[in-house]
Amino acid sequence: MYKVPKTFEAACKITGTDPNFLPNTAGLSEVMAKRHIADYKLEIIHQATVGDWKPDWSNWNKYTPWLVWSPSLGAFVCSLSYITGTLTHLGARFWFPDHESAKSFGMMHIDLINDLHRAA
């Protein structure tokens, strides 16, 4: 089973990334800057979780966090993980080799996921 780091800093330690380095967001709106930083942090956390594992697009051995939009919260919530083939109705970038790591990633880092997808 793959273990999802609880923090960006822990993921940086695993990947050998400098946690003080963040993408340059000068000149971007606050929402756009948050999106870029969230995307960067999620990529590092994902890499720290799966290491060299790559999804095999020819079969169903990949999972992604399943996010549901909650209008009352104005945010996504992670309800579970979903195994899927190469055709999805919702494109997913963060693939995992097992259900538990996908679900943990989504639940632990829902704030970053919301920063990545939130419109305002």
Side-chain angles (χ1 to χ4, degrees):
M1 182 167 120
Y2 293 77
K3 184 171 166 65
V4 179
K6 292 183 180 182
T7 65
F8 169 68
E9 291 75 17
C12 286
K13 187 177 265 192
I14 293 167
T15 61
T17 304
D18 180 355
N20 297 311
F21 172 82
L22 294 174
N24 181 359
T25 58
L28 299 178
S29 70
E30 182 180 346
V31 170
M32 194 177 288
K34 282 180 90 170
R35 283 184 190 154
H36 283 283
I37 290 171
D39 182 47
Y40 175 76
K41 287 181 174 184
L42 287 166
E43 287 289 346
I44 298 296
I45 295 165
H46 180 257
Q47 181 184 13
T49 303
V50 301
D52 293 335
W53 178 84
K54 301 280 186 247
D56 178 356
W57 300 111
S58 67
N59 65 41
W60 290 63
N61 72 335
K62 52 203 165 293
Y63 294 79
T64 188
W66 189 258
L67 306 173
V68 178
W69 178 256
S70 171
S72 63
L73 295 174
F76 284 103
V77 294
C78 182
S79 57
L80 49 93
S81 76
Y82 187 73
I83 187 168
T84 185
T86 58
L87 176 64
T88 62
H89 294 287
L90 171 66
R93 293 180 34 229
F94 301 112
W95 294 103
F96 296 86
D98 57 52
H99 165 79
E100 272 309 309
S101 57
K103 183 177 176 183
S104 293
F105 178 86
M107 292 178 78
M108 270 190 238
H109 302 292
I110 194 69
D111 290 339
L112 286 173
I113 292 169
N114 276 301
D115 284 349
L116 179 64
H117 295 293
R118 194 170 280 144

